[in-house]
Amino acid sequence: MSTTNAGAEDAPWVDGNALAGPLGEIMGADFTVAELTCAGCRTTRPLAAMRVFDRAPGLVARCPHCEHVVMRVVRTTGRFLVDLRGSLVLSLPVPQ
Ligand SMILES: [Zn+2]
């Protein structure tokens, strides 16, 4: 899986695929097919469409439409912390 920053070499963010690895490790599911509903603008988009800021401890995902923080993921010693306060719904397809 690769992440991009939409062609902007100096953009401070990558796409939401950067979240799929850590979330998959935590929950054992494929998050590349997840969708997230932003609590700020109430729009539902693929997780991959979120803008992920990864130049700090942990990952901070923002909505590409309203820039609301929709998710924070931090790995500490022995624990993952996932903050979903900025999201209304995180949905995944049922595994076949
Ligand atoms: Zn939004």
Side-chain angles (χ1 to χ4, degrees):
M1 162 185 18
S2 65
T3 59
T4 65
N5 59 7
E9 291 292 323
D10 58 348
W13 52 271
V14 295
D15 70 36
N17 284 320
L19 293 167
L23 292 175
E25 188 178 343
I26 298 165
M27 298 181 204
D30 179 9
F31 278 83
T32 61
V33 293
E35 292 182 338
L36 199 65
T37 303
C38 173
C41 66
R42 301 184 183 268
T43 303
T44 300
R45 291 187 169 79
L47 186 66
M50 300 301 146
R51 293 181 176 174
V52 177
F53 295 80
D54 60 352
R55 297 181 188 170
L59 302 170
V60 176
R62 289 184 174 271
C63 172
H65 177 70
C66 72
E67 299 188 3
H68 190 79
V69 174
V70 293
M71 183 185 293
R72 297 176 185 94
V73 179
V74 176
R75 183 177 190 156
T76 65
T77 305
R79 298 194 85 75
F80 279 107
L81 307 172
V82 181
D83 178 352
L84 288 166
R85 279 179 284 177
S87 299
L88 296 177
V89 177
L90 173 65
S91 69
L92 289 160
V94 174
Q96 298 298 313

